[in-house]
Amino acid sequence: MRLEAKGISFKYGKNPWLFQDVDFEIEAGEVVGLTGVSGRGKTTFCRILAGFERPVEGEITLGGKPLQQTGVHPVQMVLQHPEQAVNPRWKMQKVLQESGPLDDALRERLGIERTWLSRWPNELSGGELQRFCVARALAANPKFLIADEMTTMLDAITQAQIWQAVLEAAKEREMGIIVVSHERNLIKRLCDRVVEL
Amino acid sequence: MKTNLSMNRRQRTLWTIVLGFLLLMAILFSKTWVNTGNILTNLETRNVAPSFEHLFGTDWLGRDMFTRTMLGLSLSIKVGLLGAFGSTAIALILGMAAATMGKVADQFISWLIDLFLSVPHLVALILISFTLGGGYKGVIVGIMATHWPSLARVVRAEVMQVRSAEYVKVSRRLGKSNGWIAAHHIFPHLLPQVLIGFMLLFPHAILHEAAITFLGLGLSPHEPAIGIILSESMKYLSSGLWWLAFFPGLSLLIVVRVFDKIGGSLRLLIDPTKAHL
C-alpha cells in the first residue's frame, strides 16, 4: 500500500502560498526523511498528510483511494510539543487508552513505567510525555507514522530508545515512517531516502 | 513540621467538605429537628434577650428567633440552590450552544448575554418575580432567569478554547465522535468553571432573594424567610432589640461562607495542578 500526495498546495487564509504543487509518495514499510529550511511548511505538510488540515489544492490517496475523513485515520502524527497533544485534565492511563486498550509490551519497549499511568500530565517531563504520545499513535495501528521533530528535545539515549521501539514496531507491522528533522545524522541513520521540501 | 494534626491536606480538605455539607444539610432539614411550635405567638415571652432557653432571643410576638432563623435559612438555602442550579444549567446550555452551533447561534446568544448584562440584576429580578405573581415560584424563576449571563460567557470562551486545542484534533484523528469529545475532552474543562460559577451564584441568589423579600416584592410575609426576618427587625432596631437582626444576619453570613468554603475545597480536590498536595 502506498501513500501518495499529488499537487498539494496550501496557504493559511489570505496569506501567500506556503507551498505549491508538492508531490510526495511513500511505500508501506519505507522510512522517508523530510527536510527543509525552517518555515518552509514541513509541519503543515505533515498535518495535511495526517488529516489535521485540508489542502487548498491537490489530493492525497492511500492505495489509490482518497482518505476518508471519519474513523481512525490511517496516518497518525506525533507532534512536536507533547504537552499540547495531551489533555491536561486526563490521567496518563486515559490518554493511552484513547487509541485502544493498553499494550504492556509496547509500553515497556518505550520505557513507560507503570506508575506513570496514574499521574497527571503536568507531573511528567516532556520526554516522558512524548513516549506516551508515541505509544498512543502506535496503538491506533496506523499504516503510516509521521514523526515531526519527535525526539528533538530528548537526550541521545532516550532518543535512541524511542526510535528503536518505533522502528521495531514498524518492521513488525509493515508501517511506513516519515521523519521530519533538522538533525542530519539522525535522518542519515534512519531513512531509506530523503526528500527536501 | 507540625505533627499534632496527623492528617494531610487532602484529608483535611475532605473533612472540611463533609462537615460543611453536614451543617448545610442540618439547616436545610431543620424542620425535622427544631420545635416548630416555638414560632407560634407566645405573648408571655416577648422581647427576651438571648439566653440558653432562647439562643437568639425572642421577638415582639414572643416567637423564638433561633427556630425562625433556622426555618428561614432552610428556605433561603432551597431558593439559593434551586436558583443557582437553574442559572448554571442555562449558562452551560447557552454557552455550549454558542460555541458549537455556528455563527448565527453565537451572535444571537452573545446578544442575549449583552442584553441581560445591561440590565441590573435586581431590576430584572423584581420585574420577572412580579410578573409571575411573586412568592416562592416567582423568586426562584426570577433568580434562574437573571443570574446566568456572565457564567454563560465564561463557558462559551472555555469551550471555544478547548475545541481548538491540539489534543482535541488528535482525538478526532483517532476516530472519536463529536459527542465523545464533548463528554470526555470539553466537559472536564468546564467542570471547574461551572462548579465555581455555581458556588459564586449561590450567595448571590440567597442575598438577592433576601433583598427583594426585604423590599416586599418577594416571598409573602408569613413565611419565615431571612429577608423577611431582617426587614421586620429593622423596625425594632432603634428600640434596642439588636438580637433580632444580629443573629439571623450572622447566620446568613455563615451559611454563605460555609458554601464558599465547600466550593473552594472541592476545587482543590479536582484541579490537576493542586490535587496531589
Side-chain angles (χ1 to χ4, degrees), chain A residues 47 50-52 69 71-73 76 79 84-90 94 98-99 120 122-123 136 140, chain B residues 165-167 169-176 180 184-186 188-189 192 270-276:
Chain A
R47 289 176 73 90
F52 283 75
Q69 284 302 314
V72 183
H73 206 276
Q76 288 291 328
L79 301 160
Q84 289 172 11
V86 164
N87 189 335
R89 294 194 172 274
W90 282 13
K94 191 164 183 195
E98 192 176 12
S99 63
W120 300 103
N122 63 344
E123 294 165 336
R136 178 175 63 180
Chain B
E166 287 290 343
Y167 50 80
K169 290 181 186 162
V170 170
S171 188
R172 210 154 261 156
R173 300 281 87 75
L174 288 170
K176 302 298 182 197
W180 196 93
H184 289 83
H185 276 294
I186 298 179
H189 281 261
I270 60 169
D271 190 339
T273 57
K274 302 196 175 92
H276 57 281

Side-chain angles (χ1 to χ4, degrees), chain B residues 93-103 105-106 159-160 163 182 186:
Chain B
I93 293 168
L94 285 184
M96 287 193 69
T100 54
M101 282 172 54
K103 241 180 194 152
D106 185 28
V159 174
M160 281 184 160
R163 220 162 52 103
I186 298 179

Side-chain angles (χ1 to χ4, degrees), chain B residues 119-220:
Chain B
V119 185
H121 268 170
L122 207 52
V123 175
L125 180 53
I126 288 172
L127 278 177
I128 293 173
S129 150
F130 201 68
T131 318
L132 288 169
Y136 194 59
K137 196 182 89 186
V139 172
I140 289 181
V141 174
I143 289 172
M144 282 182 185
T146 49
H147 284 64
W148 56 268
S150 35
L151 184 59
R153 185 171 274 178
V154 172
V155 169
R156 170 179 168 271
E158 191 71 24
V159 174
M160 281 184 160
Q161 196 198 341
V162 177
R163 220 162 52 103
S164 61
E166 287 290 343
Y167 50 80
V168 170
K169 290 181 186 162
V170 170
S171 188
R172 210 154 261 156
R173 300 281 87 75
L174 288 170
K176 302 298 182 197
S177 66
N178 279 339
W180 196 93
I181 288 172
H184 289 83
H185 276 294
I186 298 179
F187 186 68
H189 281 261
L190 291 182
L191 197 62
Q193 311 281 0
V194 167
L195 196 68
I196 306 302
F198 180 76
M199 295 295 165
L200 291 176
L201 275 177
F202 178 78
H204 251 250
I206 283 200
L207 295 177
H208 272 155
E209 179 262 321
I212 67 165
T213 306
F214 180 84
L215 292 173
L217 297 160
L219 304 173
S220 45

